[in-house]
Amino acid sequence: MARYFRQVKYFMNNNNPDLSVCIAGVKFSNPVIAASGTFGYGKEYAGMVNAAELGGVCTKGLTLKARTGNKGVRIWETPSGLLNSIGLENPGIKHFIRHELPALREMGAVVIANLSGATIEEYTEGAALLNGTSIDMIELNISCPNVRDGGMAFGLDPARAASVVAPVRKACSKPLIVKLSPNAPDIKAVAAACVNKGADALSVVNTFTGMAIDIKKRAPVFNNITAGLSGPAIRPIALRITWELAAAVNVPVIGLGGIASACDALEFLMAGAAAVEVGAATFCHPQTMIEIIEGIKGYMIENSVSCLNELKIKRQQ
Ligand SMILES: Cc1cc2nc3c(=O)[nH]c(=O)nc-3n(C[C@H](O)[C@H](O)[C@H](O)COP(=O)(O)O)c2cc1C
């Protein structure tokens, strides 16, 4: 009899693996999340991507007041990558709450508000405003390389990261993900400081600081000189950081950076990520995230994996 039940369980798991994941008490139907700044507020992809099929949608970076973003060139293709210098263009948190959130909420995926600011006060006030809404989680962006004040400046150093995470934690009761910068000299120390001040999860990574020069003009391409590099070029480094942080902290780690296929996503899940975010790949092929979800499911069926946790590589103590 026991053998029969084992067989039934095997059959059920094998054909219907559980792709759901719970992060800080929030249940995602699958581990694939649209990364901030690459999926707008969801409606931009209406008719192309059914957001209800995604695990979650992370909004474009939001700030207390509307921002027009950076002048000049904002996007520059590189081999296997993309440099961007958007500068956090967004309509402001109040506008988001009134005009974007209702439709995004209706789409059915977990809603994560990506929050940025130039000062600690701006971050804190923004968190308090978002706390009174129906969003599911906040992703605190202390890693944007494309703004002069705030952003990545808070994410490079453990003490500065703690100085913003602590008051934001106090200002809101929503589950808090902190998005870290790969440009930090010691990202493990920054991660520890964030967790110590109340981060419920971490997402790694935001973009790497890079630059490009226009040889015809003999001048830097971007007005800010530097910009943020994303795409497949950064994937092996993002994977290494995910692997290291997953072992170093006791909160879930969300992995991202150059994920463009189910195989890429599986590498991050095996490295210990609880979920993944997909960014620049959606620009090339809007269906990427849907295909990744199907691909993860297919892999799990083929390899008799019943839940995501089983994918994680077991490490020697
Ligand atoms: C055009 C563009 C805009 C972005 N805007 C934001 C943002 O507002 N907030 C944020 O935390 N990350 C932002 N990012 C970073 C992505 O969310 C992601 O961390 C990074 O691109 C690495 O993932 P990828 O290689 O899959 O794109 C942006 C990336 C791109 C390409």
Side-chain angles (χ1 to χ4, degrees):
M1 202 57 162
R3 197 166 141 242
Y4 169 76
F5 279 121
R6 262 204 312 276
Q7 265 174 356
V8 170
K9 191 167 167 248
Y10 171 80
F11 178 77
M12 285 172 66
N13 287 345
N14 203 24
N15 285 289
N16 196 17
D18 182 7
L19 267 75
S20 72
V21 58
C22 190
I23 298 175
V26 178
K27 179 141 187 211
F28 294 71
S29 61
N30 66 69
V32 180
I33 302 166
S36 176
T38 61
F39 203 67
Y41 303 101
K43 67 169 194 250
E44 291 81 352
Y45 280 88
M48 280 185 279
V49 180
N50 179 7
E53 290 178 38
L54 304 177
V57 172
C58 198
T59 68
K60 171 66 191 160
L62 295 162
T63 48
L64 202 53
K65 300 231 168 74
R67 289 177 59 99
T68 50
N70 292 338
K71 293 204 164 64
V73 174
R74 288 179 164 200
I75 293 278
W76 190 261
E77 274 191 55
T78 68
S80 298
L82 182 72
L83 280 163
N84 94 79
S85 177
I86 307 294
L88 289 178
E89 178 184 348
N90 79 93
I93 292 176
K94 285 188 180 155
H95 178 102
F96 163 75
I97 294 171
R98 217 168 295 136
H99 301 288
E100 306 288 351
L101 180 56
L104 180 54
R105 184 71 284 172
E106 282 294 297
M107 287 176 201
V110 167
V111 174
I112 305 171
N114 182 279
L115 171 64
S116 202
T119 62
I120 292 177
E121 291 69 31
E122 263 185 48
Y123 272 107
T124 314
E125 254 185 78
L129 275 178
L130 290 167
N131 197 43
T133 72
S134 65
I135 61 155
D136 296 298
M137 310 177 95
I138 292 177
E139 180 177 64
L140 193 65
N141 176 5
I142 56 167
S143 43
C144 178
N146 300 321
V147 286
R148 283 190 201 282
D149 302 309
M152 186 173 78
F154 284 107
L156 295 181
D157 168 75
R160 289 211 73 193
S163 76
V164 64
V165 175
V168 164
R169 177 68 295 169
K170 284 203 186 98
C172 73
S173 55
K174 298 278 183 191
L176 187 64
I177 305 165
V178 181
K179 185 166 181 181
L180 301 184
S181 171
N183 303 304
D186 185 352
I187 194 169
K188 275 197 215 166
V190 176
C194 294
V195 174
N196 189 31
K197 293 297 176 195
D200 298 301
L202 301 173
S203 51
V204 284
V205 291
N206 208 318
T207 51
F208 288 71
T209 309
M211 75 177 284
I213 289 179
D214 185 330
I215 58 167
K216 282 192 198 130
K217 293 185 185 156
R218 296 191 195 177
V221 164
F222 295 102
N223 285 2
N224 283 352
I225 316 289
T226 60
L229 181 65
S230 57
I234 69 170
R235 190 171 59 239
I237 316 175
L239 182 67
R240 187 264 299 164
I241 293 172
T242 302
W243 169 268
E244 288 178 356
L245 285 195
V249 295
N250 57 3
V251 297
V253 172
I254 299 169
L256 75 156
I259 297 174
S261 70
C263 297
D264 301 340
L266 281 161
E267 283 195 66
F268 280 78
L269 296 171
M270 289 178 189
V276 294
E277 293 184 15
V278 177
T282 300
F283 293 150
C284 308
H285 181 50
Q287 284 296 312
T288 301
M289 288 183 284
I290 305 295
E291 289 169 11
I292 289 176
I293 297 164
E294 282 308 307
I296 294 172
K297 190 174 176 187
Y299 177 92
M300 290 170 77
I301 291 171
E302 227 169 86
N303 293 279
S304 306
V305 176
S306 59
C307 67
L308 294 175
N309 225 16
E310 276 178 37
L311 288 169
K312 289 185 185 166
I313 293 172
K314 295 198 178 36
R315 305 182 195 217
Q316 283 165 355
Q317 296 300 315

